[in-house]
Amino acid sequence: METVSTNKAHGGVQGVYRHASAQTGTDMVFSVFVPEHAPGAKLPVVWYLSGLTCTHANVTDKGEYRRLCAELGLIFVAPDTSPRGEGVPDDAAGAYDFGLGAGFYVDASQEPYAKNYRMWSYVAEELPALIGENFPADMARQSIMGHSMGGHGALTLGLGLPDRYKAISAFAPIVAPCEVPWGQKALGLYLGDDPAAWRRHDAVAMIESGARVSELFVDQGEADQFLTAQLQPERLEAACAEAGIALTLRRQPGYDHSYYFISTFMEDHLRWHAARLG
């Protein structure tokens, strides 16, 4: 693992790191904030998954999480959203919603994407092992959150690995990718035409098929330009009500899809996670 940069912040260390990923076959970059802590202490880990077009840098630069993580004693990990590098296949037309910056947190089964686009296994298996080996992380206390496509990733990873994550939350998540254009494009090209493969990466479909967690926390801006066509939080609301999952869905008047929205409510999410991480 190579250290790209470190900076002191709120008494802790904000680092950016690079490593050669066995899952994606590329170098991957991620950021980690480690708060000040006693020697030998192990700290809980909050994972943050970013949205379309983003890298680790978006939340690292604009998420305004370090003060709270320092106060609450939380390690904050932000992976990239896709493999990158020479030879990694992209959308032929260079579209923003597929390919580079848009891995959708799935393991692709279709060519030419299957070799590199293994973001589920990267986030669920490879990167946690690296974090556990190189940082003062208590891997028995992990939680996960994300934004937009990353909110989709947080929900599906959380529902798929319910014994791992002590808390799951999201900002403006894609809750039912099987039913909306962003998801239909990405799941079709990455996973093929098998609807069962799609449903394993759709939070609403997973709940309908029996996936269970005790509670979820979601913030959604009412002025979000993608609310009606791509996000549709009412689908998650209905699925959770039917399944008996306690969903806190806050509709925030006037807020859009940007990091102005995310940074405004980041404190609420981190305090909610910290209370459940112990």
Side-chain angles (χ1 to χ4, degrees):
M1 188 180 72
E2 171 192 353
T3 300
V4 177
S5 66
T6 58
N7 297 91
K8 187 169 183 176
H10 296 281
V13 176
Q14 176 64 66
V16 177
Y17 306 92
R18 178 185 294 112
H19 75 113
S21 167
Q23 287 292 343
T24 69
T26 67
D27 282 355
M28 295 292 288
V29 178
F30 60 96
S31 75
V32 182
F33 176 72
V34 179
E36 189 174 17
H37 58 283
K42 294 287 189 178
L43 306 179
V45 179
V46 177
W47 293 86
Y48 179 93
L49 305 185
S50 292
L52 291 167
T53 76
C54 293
T55 70
H56 71 282
N58 296 76
V59 70
T60 305
D61 294 346
K62 298 182 285 189
E64 299 183 20
Y65 57 83
R66 279 173 285 269
R67 178 182 62 82
L68 261 296
C69 287
E71 174 189 328
L72 299 170
L74 302 173
I75 293 175
F76 191 97
V77 182
D80 202 347
T81 54
S82 78
R84 299 177 193 270
E86 186 176 353
V88 176
D90 195 9
D91 181 85
Y96 75 95
D97 56 355
F98 183 78
L100 300 182
F104 257 80
Y105 305 101
V106 303
D107 286 347
S109 60
Q110 304 300 298
E111 298 301 336
Y113 309 107
K115 176 182 176 181
N116 304 118
Y117 285 84
R118 297 187 51 80
M119 291 303 295
W120 174 279
S121 291
Y122 178 72
V123 172
E125 299 171 9
E126 185 176 18
L127 190 54
L130 196 69
I131 297 298
E133 291 167 3
N134 291 280
F135 298 91
D138 181 355
M139 303 307 284
R141 291 188 292 162
Q142 298 182 64
S143 68
I144 193 164
M145 67 166 76
H147 169 232
S148 192
M149 178 187 71
H152 143 77
L155 292 173
T156 55
L157 279 154
L159 288 163
L161 300 167
D163 295 331
R164 176 181 302 184
Y165 301 107
K166 308 299 184 185
I168 307 162
S169 75
F171 301 95
I174 306 169
V175 304
C178 290
E179 308 299 332
V180 300
W182 277 344
Q184 290 167 346
K185 177 179 180 178
L187 297 178
L189 290 171
Y190 287 137
L191 302 178
D193 297 329
D194 180 7
W198 290 26
R199 288 179 62 83
R200 289 194 294 270
H201 294 282
D202 180 306
V204 168
M206 292 172 74
I207 292 170
E208 291 173 348
S209 297
R212 294 291 182 268
V213 293
S214 60
E215 57 183 339
L216 299 169
F217 179 25
V218 172
D219 269 315
Q220 174 63 62
E222 289 189 336
D224 191 316
Q225 62 270 42
F226 304 113
L227 176 59
T228 301
Q230 307 284 5
L231 306 178
Q232 302 180 6
E234 65 276 3
R235 291 181 181 271
L236 181 64
E237 192 171 38
C240 287
E242 179 68 23
I245 295 172
L247 170 66
T248 300
L249 173 59
R250 305 194 307 185
R251 293 175 169 89
Q252 304 290 3
Y255 285 91
D256 59 16
H257 202 68
S258 72
Y259 270 87
Y260 296 109
F261 159 62
I262 296 165
S263 63
T264 298
F265 300 106
M266 180 64 81
E267 178 172 351
D268 293 352
H269 284 248
L270 288 173
R271 291 195 183 279
W272 191 82
H273 283 250
R276 287 148 181 82
L277 287 164

